Amino acid sequence: MYTSKITGLGYYVPENVVTNDDLSKLMDTNDAWIQERTGIKERRHIKKGDGNSTSVMAVKASTIALERANLKPKDIDMIVFATLSPDMYFPGGGVEVQEAMGMRTIPALDVRNQCSGFVYALSVADQFVKTGMYKNILVIGSENHSGGLDFTTRSRNVTVIFGDGAGAAVVSRNETGKGGILSTHLHSEGKHKNELSLKGPSTEYWVPQIIAENLRKGQTDQQENIPYYPVMNGQFVFKHAIVRFSEVIKEGLEANNLEVKDIDMLIPHQANLRISQFVQHKLKLTDDQVFNNIQKYGNTTAASIPIALTEAWEEGKIKEGDLVVLAAFGSGFTWGSAIIRW
Ligand code: ACO
């Protein structure tokens, strides 16, 4: 049995900065409301013609991660790609990265776990490395939210939260045998699937005439009747998120005989700054023990953890030997954590 280790990290966000004031020109919202409820000051959105897409951003982030791992695309044995916003309905983004980076005919696995996507993807990679089946796995989280959001007042509670970007990690066999990914912990509770969801396009909502009819209805009806934009029961999500984040962090620590005080850096999925702060206070963690960057990028769903992890590492906030905890919660509901000795 082997252990796995993160050997390279990278991220990419589009250059186009969209401030809260920019959004207030499109819908009835304002900077004070957004900052007070979410902590977000600005986010990045793909700009028409800038050449970016979910897979293009994934390739940019992955190229940096591979360089830092001192690996070439041909050295990668598998891709695990987490996104809720793939370029195409099918196939998923994994094969696009395989092609764009000129990789061998390696497996490309697509993970559909929304905000928990990166933790799920990391867990999958960890299992494949542990068994000895693969040596180097590229794990990606990338999202193009701006391409699928409703920029009208009707969806303001959702649209102001999300941003675009990509993050990537190379997960390799840990040749030293010391540290690395200690454990991962994954959960789901499908009874809450409608509380944060996007219903179409899907097999239920894909026939062209149904699309046309639903879009017509959407102009007059309530939000629930529009299946083509994400809907969220914000307060319900908030209440569940703070419980599950804390639970799954503690579960991971206990599995390794560790305690909250042992955490050097918690990288929570950047759902909402208020959720991160609530969890921080509940677990009695200091500001130095938690990393947040949602203020700059908004919620980038599957990309938020690898972007934050990369930034924290680049800023020297994660050092060899540190105990790093990743934790996520999101649509499904799904949630999970990863306990890593850096
Ligand atoms: N700008 C201005 N006003 C707004 C906006 C906006 N963008 N959005 C909603 N409002 C209004 C509402 O219409 C409502 O007005 P009313 O009182 O006249 O009816 C008022 O603000 C309060 O609305 P609530 O939905 O009750 O606002 P709440 O305080 O719950 O904040 C929020 C909404 C920020 C979404 C909050 O519920 C929340 O943070 N939930 C957690 C969800 C989350 O973080 N999701 C992230 C994605 S999921 C994930 O990553 C885990």
Side-chain angles (χ1 to χ4, degrees):
M1 193 80 162
Y2 299 96
T3 58
S4 77
K5 188 178 172 90
I6 293 177
T7 53
L9 287 168
Y11 80 93
Y12 172 81
V13 288
E15 281 175 23
N16 179 34
V17 176
V18 176
T19 65
N20 295 340
D21 286 340
D22 291 334
L23 291 181
S24 71
K25 289 174 195 136
L26 304 172
M27 63 188 86
D28 182 11
T29 190
N30 59 76
D31 179 54
W33 192 97
I34 300 172
Q35 283 211 49
E36 187 194 319
R37 310 287 172 116
T38 70
I40 299 166
K41 293 182 191 324
E42 57 190 41
R43 73 286 294 140
R44 305 296 180 95
H45 283 173
I46 290 176
K47 207 171 182 173
K48 216 172 167 42
D50 74 1
N52 280 311
S53 70
T54 299
S55 64
V56 168
M57 293 191 296
V59 169
K60 290 177 182 174
S62 300
T63 302
I64 299 167
L66 253 72
E67 270 168 23
R68 288 175 171 166
N70 217 6
L71 294 174
K72 299 271 180 261
K74 68 172 171 41
D75 300 319
I76 294 297
D77 301 315
M78 182 186 197
I79 299 163
V80 189
F81 193 146
T83 185
L84 64 69
S85 51
D87 296 348
M88 290 192 263
Y89 187 71
F90 72 81
V95 296
E96 300 210 50
V97 172
Q98 183 272 338
E99 183 205 7
M101 298 190 76
M103 289 170 168
R104 294 175 286 122
T105 55
I106 55 170
L109 178 68
D110 299 296
V111 167
R112 291 277 317 264
N113 289 89
Q114 296 65 248
C115 299
S116 311
F118 185 79
V119 173
Y120 266 71
L122 190 71
S123 180
V124 170
D126 181 42
Q127 312 314 313
F128 274 105
V129 172
K130 269 184 183 154
T131 58
M133 186 158 173
Y134 297 124
K135 217 170 159 182
N136 296 304
I137 301 182
L138 177 60
V139 181
I140 306 166
S142 181
E143 303 287 2
N144 169 6
H145 282 304
S146 64
L149 291 170
D150 175 14
F151 289 94
T152 70
T153 299
R154 180 177 62 185
S155 297
R156 62 183 175 175
N157 66 319
V158 175
T159 300
V160 300
I161 292 178
F162 295 98
D164 301 340
V170 177
V171 176
S172 301
R173 183 184 293 175
N174 182 5
E175 303 289 1
T176 66
K178 277 194 221 137
I181 298 176
L182 304 181
S183 63
T184 55
H185 307 266
L186 308 176
H187 297 278
S188 73
E189 194 173 25
K191 71 179 176 188
H192 301 311
K193 60 185 180 291
N194 293 323
E195 305 296 340
L196 175 52
S197 63
L198 170 60
K199 294 211 187 323
S202 61
T203 46
E204 232 181 301
Y205 297 104
W206 74 285
V207 182
Q209 55 271 34
I210 296 180
I211 292 179
E213 189 190 325
N214 276 309
L215 284 176
R216 255 198 315 278
K217 271 205 296 183
Q219 285 161 13
T220 49
D221 288 7
Q222 293 300 305
Q223 192 160 297
E224 299 83 61
N225 293 326
I226 315 159
Y228 306 105
Y229 292 121
V231 291
M232 176 176 72
N233 181 349
Q235 295 190 9
F236 191 88
V237 172
F238 197 103
K239 283 180 196 146
H240 282 254
I242 53 176
V243 172
R244 296 308 193 186
F245 263 112
S246 309
E247 256 178 29
V248 81
I249 292 167
K250 285 188 183 157
E251 178 189 345
L253 291 170
E254 277 164 25
N256 293 285
N257 291 320
L258 293 163
E259 294 175 34
V260 169
K261 68 172 171 46
D262 298 318
I263 298 176
D264 292 299
M265 185 55 78
L266 168 66
I267 311 271
H269 158 55
Q270 302 292 292
N272 177 322
L273 190 60
R274 306 300 161 229
I275 292 177
S276 296
Q277 288 170 335
F278 201 99
V279 173
Q280 176 179 338
H281 290 134
K282 209 167 157 194
L283 296 179
K284 299 193 176 66
L285 290 162
T286 63
D287 287 349
D288 290 346
Q289 285 175 292
V290 185
F291 188 85
N292 289 301
N293 62 4
I294 189 169
Q295 302 90 328
K296 293 189 290 182
Y297 304 131
N299 179 336
T300 57
T301 309
S304 92
I305 288 182
I307 293 175
L309 183 60
T310 307
E311 272 203 348
W313 175 79
E314 285 176 352
E315 290 173 20
K317 292 182 174 158
I318 295 175
K319 293 175 288 303
E320 208 177 323
D322 279 357
L323 186 73
V324 178
V325 175
L326 313 181
F329 174 88
S331 161
F333 292 150
T334 58
W335 62 101
S337 64
I339 313 295
I340 304 170
R341 180 66 70 189
W342 209 259

